[in-house]
Amino acid sequence: MATRPPSTRTITIVDVAAEANVSKSTVSLVLKGSPLIKGETADRVKEAAQRLGYVYNRRAGELRGNASNAIGVVINDLMNPFFAEILVGIERKLVEAGYVVLMAHTREDVVLQDKVLQSMREQHAAGIMLCPALNTPRSILKTVQSWGIPLTVFVRNLGPGSYDFAGGDSERGVYLATTHLIEAGHKRIGFLGGQNGVVFTQRLSGYKQALQAHGMEFKEELVIHANPNREGGHQAMNALLAVTPPVTAAVGYNDIVAFGALSALGEKGLRAGSDIALFGFDNVLDSAHSNPPLSTVDIRPSELGEQAAAILLQRIQNPNAKRMIYTSAPELVIRQTG
């Protein structure tokens, strides 16, 4: 059917409802993309809107409904490519569902994180995805819950609770990496990077469990605390190389720490794999192209992001559903350094 010629009168949702012979609320649901109206009715409404030349003002609809089609994604460290890869997966899933992503980077600053979350609330975000900054208090869960905004926490959990969560099995992943090194004949294995928090505790626990399972003593001096970034990895490896007797292998808190460790080894004329075995954690894309290519624990960052977004979408659709958890099973990727 041909589109009607333009009119000087403003076309409203009431006009579309009359044209399609449906209620105003039905038109509103269809134009918002609601899955509640499907099939022939939805097609009829869309065709009527097109014939009349009606343009849906999404922002006005958001203001009327006190909600938006925006999802707030709050990330603690965008300098780490692991989080960039997670963000790709998150955005892909949310955009497919008709949402836009409002991304914020907190730089591990809890005060800034609070401000960002408040801003998401003021924007009437339809949901929030949060990778908490270090030292984030668990009270943040009750705060966001009191706003009535669906929340999914990802990568770093906040301890016991009923909140939705998506992350990797940190303990199991480091256990596998450490076990691989032990079975390769290494007797003194260091653990590099990480400062505090649940994820650090889990990864260190995996390291300890692997040692214990193979009758090896845990030695505190082989655990080098450092910021979970390249600089921290560089400093941690230098500190580990100063320990006597010397280590022959190390597990990094994450790939970025391991990249910093590679740099420290190179400065001393050492090469990972031949002089000292080294593992990372995450399997970011750059790990396959480091020099030498890094052995690591793969938790498939992009897929993890998609699964985290899928959980939030389910929570938006069903606010009263039981707690949802996704855990990415770790797999070892053996390259030249391990």
Side-chain angles (χ1 to χ4, degrees):
M1 186 178 296
T3 303
R4 294 183 179 181
S7 169
T8 56
R9 184 175 69 85
T10 300
I11 303 300
T12 70
I13 198 171
V14 175
D15 298 313
V16 178
E19 180 76 7
N21 195 27
V22 297
S23 68
K24 186 172 70 171
S25 60
T26 296
V27 173
S28 178
L29 288 170
V30 171
L31 296 179
K32 289 178 181 178
S34 170
L36 298 176
I37 310 297
K38 299 179 180 179
E40 188 271 337
T41 301
D43 291 340
R44 194 165 75 247
V45 169
K46 292 174 184 176
E47 290 169 1
Q50 184 178 16
R51 286 197 301 272
L52 295 175
Y54 177 81
V55 178
Y56 177 55
N57 186 332
R58 181 177 294 276
R59 182 58 181 160
E62 292 168 359
L63 293 174
R64 288 192 298 270
N66 198 34
S68 77
N69 72 324
I71 301 292
V73 180
V74 184
I75 292 179
N76 59 297
D77 182 13
L78 201 55
M79 298 298 290
N80 185 338
F82 170 70
F83 292 106
E85 291 179 30
I86 281 188
L87 183 59
V88 168
I90 288 173
E91 189 169 36
R92 179 164 55 237
K93 190 70 175 180
L94 294 179
V95 169
E96 286 176 356
Y99 291 90
V100 296
V101 175
L102 300 178
M103 194 281 296
H105 174 207
T106 64
R107 304 189 300 276
E108 301 287 16
D109 185 330
V110 175
V111 174
L112 177 59
Q113 179 176 270
D114 287 342
K115 293 179 180 178
V116 164
L117 290 172
Q118 284 288 348
S119 178
M120 300 294 186
R121 180 191 187 190
E122 292 167 3
Q123 293 294 324
H124 305 294
I128 292 175
M129 301 185 66
L130 171 66
C131 183
L134 290 173
N135 302 313
T136 294
R138 294 188 69 251
S139 60
I140 196 66
L141 298 170
K142 288 186 177 180
T143 298
V144 177
Q145 184 182 35
S146 72
W147 299 342
I149 300 177
L151 171 70
T152 295
V153 177
F154 63 99
V155 179
R156 293 176 174 172
N157 67 47
L158 290 170
S162 59
Y163 58 95
D164 297 332
F165 176 74
D169 190 338
S170 290
E171 188 174 280
R172 177 65 178 168
V174 173
Y175 176 90
L176 292 174
T178 308
T179 295
H180 173 84
L181 293 171
I182 293 171
E183 293 177 348
H186 296 282
K187 303 298 184 184
R188 285 178 61 80
I189 303 168
F191 185 86
L192 301 174
Q195 293 280 20
N196 54 21
V198 174
V199 173
F200 172 77
T201 300
Q202 291 170 340
R203 294 185 183 181
L204 184 60
S205 175
Y207 168 77
K208 291 179 177 179
Q209 287 180 31
L211 295 176
Q212 183 178 23
H214 292 82
M216 296 172 62
E217 182 182 356
F218 169 72
K219 297 183 180 299
E220 189 69 49
E221 67 268 21
L222 299 186
V223 177
I224 311 298
H225 298 266
N227 290 329
N229 53 32
R230 288 176 186 266
E231 182 180 3
H234 185 276
Q235 294 171 351
M237 178 55 81
N238 280 329
L240 186 64
L241 291 173
V243 174
T244 55
V247 300
T248 61
V251 178
Y253 174 82
N254 58 22
D255 286 344
I256 305 306
V257 164
F259 292 157
L262 287 175
S263 176
L265 289 173
E267 290 173 359
K268 294 185 179 299
L270 302 173
R271 184 172 175 83
S274 54
D275 296 306
I276 182 170
L278 180 64
F279 259 85
F281 193 110
D282 291 334
N283 194 30
V284 299
L285 294 175
D286 286 347
S287 64
H289 306 290
S290 60
N291 185 21
L294 180 68
S295 294
T296 186
V297 178
D298 184 15
I299 57 171
R300 301 169 296 284
S302 182
E303 178 184 323
L304 175 55
E306 288 192 9
Q307 293 293 337
I311 286 176
L312 182 66
L313 292 172
Q314 292 180 59
R315 178 60 61 194
I316 292 172
Q317 290 292 323
N318 188 358
N320 297 317
K322 293 181 179 179
R323 185 189 189 194
M324 290 175 275
I325 299 176
Y326 171 78
T327 303
S328 178
E331 297 177 359
L332 294 187
V333 178
I334 310 300
R335 300 192 179 103
Q336 293 182 24
T337 66

